[in-house]
Amino acid sequence: MAVTVPIAVETMRLADIAAVHEIERLSFTTPWPAYAFEQELTANRLARYVVARAGSSVVGFGGVWLMVDEAHVTTIGVHPDWRRQGVGRRLLVALIDLSEELRASRVTLEVRASNLGAQALYAELGFEVAGRRTHYYTDDGEDALVMTTPALRSPAMRHHVALARERASHIAGGAE
Ligand SMILES: CC(C)(COP(=O)(O)OP(=O)(O)OC[C@H]1O[C@@H](n2cnc3c(N)ncnc32)[C@H](O)[C@@H]1OP(=O)(O)O)[C@@H](O)C(=O)NCCC(=O)NCCS
């Protein structure tokens, strides 16, 4: 389905938390409580969170933490009604841009071993599997794959991001 409403990626605000929490609830087996987002926005100066808006509705969100010189994607989610329309790609490009702003050298994340859709999105942005954490997820004991980008300033990474931006520019709202 083509996106017909412009999508904007913007800094998450406290007023967005209820909508973000609803997407969390629809997306994850152990969603973060709403107060965790409030903490992140108000008390964690090494965290950055964004939302994707379609008109005035929040349709996706994501965040990074700066850990030493690496950025770590803490979460990314898109409302089920808005998936496979390029919103996750837009969010991930925005998180990579924020990571560069935070002077991170690369970006890492953990993803469920079975979450092939998310892994495909990450691979498109240059993430590669760097390791495996066995029984990482406490709800069902599933393993996590650790995925990491090449150096953000490397030609390979610039190429991945430029291609993703180009793809994102074909959906309403355009690239960031
Ligand atoms: C993972 C997630 C954020 C992707 O968001 P999205 O908006 O649907 O992703 P996009 O439309 O931007 O996808 C970009 C590309 O990623 C890949 N991709 C995304 N979802 C995919 C899926 N379910 N299956 C296969 N490939 C997928 C495709 O290559 C896709 O490009 P294409 O649609 O042109 O083929 C979304 O599915 C989601 O919120 N899932 C539940 C929460 C979750 O798993 N978060 C990640 C935790 S680590």
Side-chain angles (χ1 to χ4, degrees):
M1 185 177 80
V3 175
T4 52
V5 180
I7 302 284
V9 177
E10 301 170 353
T11 303
M12 189 187 293
R13 302 185 294 229
L14 288 172
D16 296 324
I17 289 177
V20 165
H21 186 247
E22 176 62 8
I23 299 172
E24 268 269 319
R25 205 181 57 72
L26 295 168
S27 300
F28 298 105
T29 45
T30 50
W32 284 7
Y35 70 78
F37 283 101
E38 195 176 322
Q39 277 279 317
E40 288 289 273
L41 297 192
T42 57
N44 186 349
R45 65 190 177 79
L46 295 179
R48 296 285 186 282
Y49 285 84
V50 292
V51 292
R53 276 184 225 287
S56 59
S57 303
V58 174
V59 297
F61 65 93
V64 287
W65 282 348
L66 185 67
M67 296 168 86
V68 194
D69 69 337
E70 285 195 355
H72 190 87
V73 175
T74 55
T75 184
I76 182 167
V78 172
H79 190 287
D81 293 347
W82 285 85
R83 290 184 190 157
R84 294 311 287 271
Q85 298 175 66
V87 176
R89 179 186 292 124
R90 291 277 303 277
L91 286 164
L92 193 56
V93 168
L95 295 179
I96 290 168
D97 288 344
L98 282 172
S99 301
E100 270 212 84
E101 278 173 43
L102 289 167
R103 301 188 181 284
S105 59
R106 59 186 73 234
V107 184
T108 65
L109 53 80
E110 278 109 16
V111 57
R112 282 181 184 268
S114 65
N115 194 347
L116 301 181
Q119 288 168 38
L121 170 63
Y122 302 145
E124 184 189 312
L125 268 297
F127 287 80
E128 290 178 357
V129 176
R132 190 176 188 108
R133 299 195 205 286
T134 49
H135 310 306
Y136 180 78
Y137 294 98
T138 47
D139 58 337
D140 61 0
E142 186 173 354
D143 292 355
L145 300 182
V146 180
M147 297 185 76
T148 196
T149 62
L152 292 181
R153 289 164 185 271
S154 66
M157 192 59 195
R158 297 257 188 243
H159 181 66
H160 285 299
V161 174
L163 274 183
R165 264 191 232 285
E166 166 64 19
R167 286 196 193 108
S169 71
H170 295 309
I171 68 168
E176 286 306 290

